[in-house]
Amino acid sequence: MKIIDVAEHYAPQGGGVKTYIHNKIKAAQRHGHELIVIAPGDMDRVEYKLGAKIIWVKGPKLWIDKRYNVFNNQRAIFQILDEEDPDIIEGGSVWAGGRIVSRWKGRAKKVWIFHQDFVAAYGHTFLDRYLKIQTIDSLFTPFWLYLKKVSAGYDHTVVAGKWLAERLDDKSIKSPIAIPFGIDKEFFSPNRYDKELRNKLLRMCGRAEDVPLLITVSRFHPEKRLRTLFEAVKKVNKSRPIAHIIFGEGVLSQRDRKFAHDTEGIHLAGFTQDRDELASALASSDLLLHGSAAETFGLGVAEAICSGLPVVGPSVGGVADIIEKSFGKEYAPGNIDECAKAIIEVIDNPKIYSKSKIKIQADRIKSTEEHF
């Protein structure tokens, strides 16, 4: 088959969506299919990556995160789709990319890949300290009607978590199907533990070698609630020293950057393209600390569990689908006190949150091959 992914959230320095698409390219080749990616970029050009064709269509920068561009040329995308004549086309955005695919009248079967719950990412993130979730959702009724209209142009809507499929079904989005992501379990493994790297990360945090090492892997964006994590780490540090290393980049206010810089034990390591280093850093840490309550799946969380780490994360969203009693500890989204208590619970009970128990959950997570 020829498959085209119209991927508005794909970018050279992207996060989970980039990982997902690169794995999908490899899977398509294994199964003898041709996969073409159409993505917004700084100019019109064609690039070949991992043996697949990436067609970049010129579009403006996303104002909130300059690593990403957005589509604004429906005619150009229609022309590419007409010329390529795919068997299956995927729309990977609720915005222009999703609308454009829904409007295209070609012969292909169309699948809407729902990568982000916009209402949870923005509405819940900014308002859930003031309003109930149900009230926030009702404020976004026009947006839900818009999604319902876009979904009508597709054959199916695919999401990565059961919780989101149920949520979209409740909002009358067309035919939501949950297909959890898969993890490269050979790449993300406890076997990557590296004591030398661990000590290096602890030194970067200004901590001694016997201090618990917490790690966060996240793009910097308001929905990731990094300030909650920084505040919780500072609170824990009042009773015992811990270290917190954060890999990622993006939108983070100067005030929050300064808070992290001024808090003992925290280090912002920036974005890394070295996947080997990242996988080894996960396996060499003691706990994954996560802030977002709007994850559709929680790819980084699943990678951490497969690396042998317990997780402290929010009790809502895709992360809550993965965390279970013996594999981590939940806290109410944005609640600093609960987050701090959860961190202490996990680091004080290594026998309860042991790597052998976490392996039970890791075995339940699909491999990349099983997913595709």
Side-chain angles (χ1 to χ4, degrees):
M1 293 188 298
K2 178 185 280 190
I3 305 166
I4 290 186
D5 189 338
V6 181
E8 193 160 24
H9 300 310
Y10 179 79
Q13 289 192 338
V17 173
K18 184 181 79 169
T19 300
Y20 155 77
I21 288 177
H22 285 181
N23 283 327
K24 186 163 61 175
I25 288 171
K26 296 173 185 176
Q29 292 169 347
R30 282 199 310 272
H31 294 291
H33 303 307
E34 180 184 4
L35 178 65
I36 297 170
V37 178
I38 302 175
D42 293 330
M43 65 180 72
D44 294 323
R45 64 189 179 94
V46 175
E47 175 187 7
Y48 289 88
K49 184 170 290 186
L50 302 175
K53 182 160 66 172
I54 315 291
I55 304 175
W56 297 96
V57 177
K58 185 177 180 181
K61 290 286 188 184
L62 179 64
W63 67 272
I64 199 169
D65 191 338
K66 299 300 183 182
R67 294 176 302 162
Y68 295 87
N69 295 66
V70 294
F71 289 123
N72 70 344
N73 192 338
Q74 176 174 286
R75 181 180 297 179
I77 296 174
F78 275 10
Q79 183 176 345
I80 294 168
L81 295 177
D82 289 339
E83 291 173 355
E84 295 289 349
D85 187 29
D87 299 296
I88 295 177
I89 181 170
E90 298 181 6
S93 165
V94 301
W95 305 115
R99 290 197 307 272
I100 290 168
V101 172
S102 74
R103 293 168 180 166
W104 185 65
K105 302 301 182 182
R107 68 177 182 86
K109 291 289 186 180
K110 294 189 286 186
V111 181
W112 199 13
I113 309 296
F114 206 90
H115 285 298
Q116 183 189 50
D117 181 345
F118 174 82
V119 178
Y122 293 91
H124 295 179
T125 297
F126 292 112
L127 299 175
D128 65 3
R129 73 198 73 177
Y130 310 112
L131 302 170
K132 293 181 178 179
I133 294 299
Q134 295 85 348
T135 303
I136 299 169
D137 282 348
S138 68
L139 293 175
F140 284 84
T141 296
F143 182 69
W144 292 118
L145 293 174
Y146 157 77
L147 293 183
K148 182 180 178 181
K149 182 178 179 180
V150 172
S151 74
Y154 289 87
D155 295 286
H156 292 288
T157 303
V158 172
V159 299
K162 181 181 176 183
W163 78 275
L164 186 55
E166 292 172 349
R167 178 167 162 79
L168 295 186
D169 187 56
D170 183 61
K171 304 300 181 183
S172 300
I173 306 304
K174 184 178 178 180
S175 188
I177 301 170
I179 304 177
F181 285 145
I183 304 301
D184 186 341
K185 294 185 177 183
E186 291 185 5
F187 192 80
F188 291 97
S189 163
N191 295 332
R192 281 186 171 269
Y193 177 86
D194 184 334
K195 186 174 182 180
E196 199 171 299
L197 175 61
R198 174 188 172 83
N199 291 339
K200 174 186 173 183
L201 297 176
L202 286 166
R203 287 195 298 272
M204 290 167 70
C205 296
R207 292 303 196 193
E209 295 180 4
D210 59 347
V211 169
L213 176 60
L214 283 58
I215 185 169
T216 295
V217 181
S218 172
R219 64 188 173 93
F220 292 179
H221 187 276
E223 75 171 90
K224 303 302 182 181
R225 306 193 194 217
L226 294 178
R227 182 59 181 259
T228 298
L229 308 186
F230 300 158
E231 297 263 16
V233 168
K234 183 174 183 177
K235 191 176 185 68
V236 174
N237 268 323
K238 291 178 180 178
S239 61
R240 84 278 310 279
I242 59 173
H244 184 204
I245 187 105
I246 302 99
F247 286 94
E249 195 48 87
V251 179
L252 187 66
S253 71
Q254 287 302 314
R255 184 173 68 93
D256 288 347
R257 285 182 186 273
K258 185 176 187 304
F259 184 92
H261 183 267
D262 292 345
T263 299
E264 191 175 2
I266 295 180
H267 179 71
L268 302 179
F271 176 80
T272 177
Q273 290 188 336
D274 189 338
R275 296 280 289 169
D276 285 286
E277 178 190 36
L278 192 59
S280 296
L282 283 169
S284 305
S285 299
D286 298 304
L287 181 156
L288 180 86
L289 186 58
H290 197 77
S292 175
E295 300 287 5
T296 54
F297 174 69
L299 197 62
V301 174
E303 289 170 348
I305 289 174
C306 289
S307 301
L309 296 191
V311 177
V312 167
S315 57
V316 177
V319 175
D321 272 354
I322 301 174
I323 300 175
E324 296 184 26
K325 187 176 181 181
S326 296
F327 315 120
K329 192 77 175 174
E330 297 176 352
Y331 64 90
N335 190 308
I336 296 165
D337 290 340
E338 283 194 20
C339 183
K341 288 179 182 177
I343 292 170
I344 292 170
E345 162 72 19
V346 174
I347 63 177
D348 280 358
N349 294 280
K351 289 185 179 179
I352 295 177
Y353 303 99
S354 66
K355 290 186 183 296
S356 60
K357 289 186 177 180
I358 292 164
K359 187 179 184 302
I360 297 172
Q361 179 67 343
D363 289 342
R364 295 173 182 171
I365 295 171
K366 285 183 177 181
S367 67
T368 304
E369 290 77 10
E370 289 172 320
H371 171 75
F372 290 110

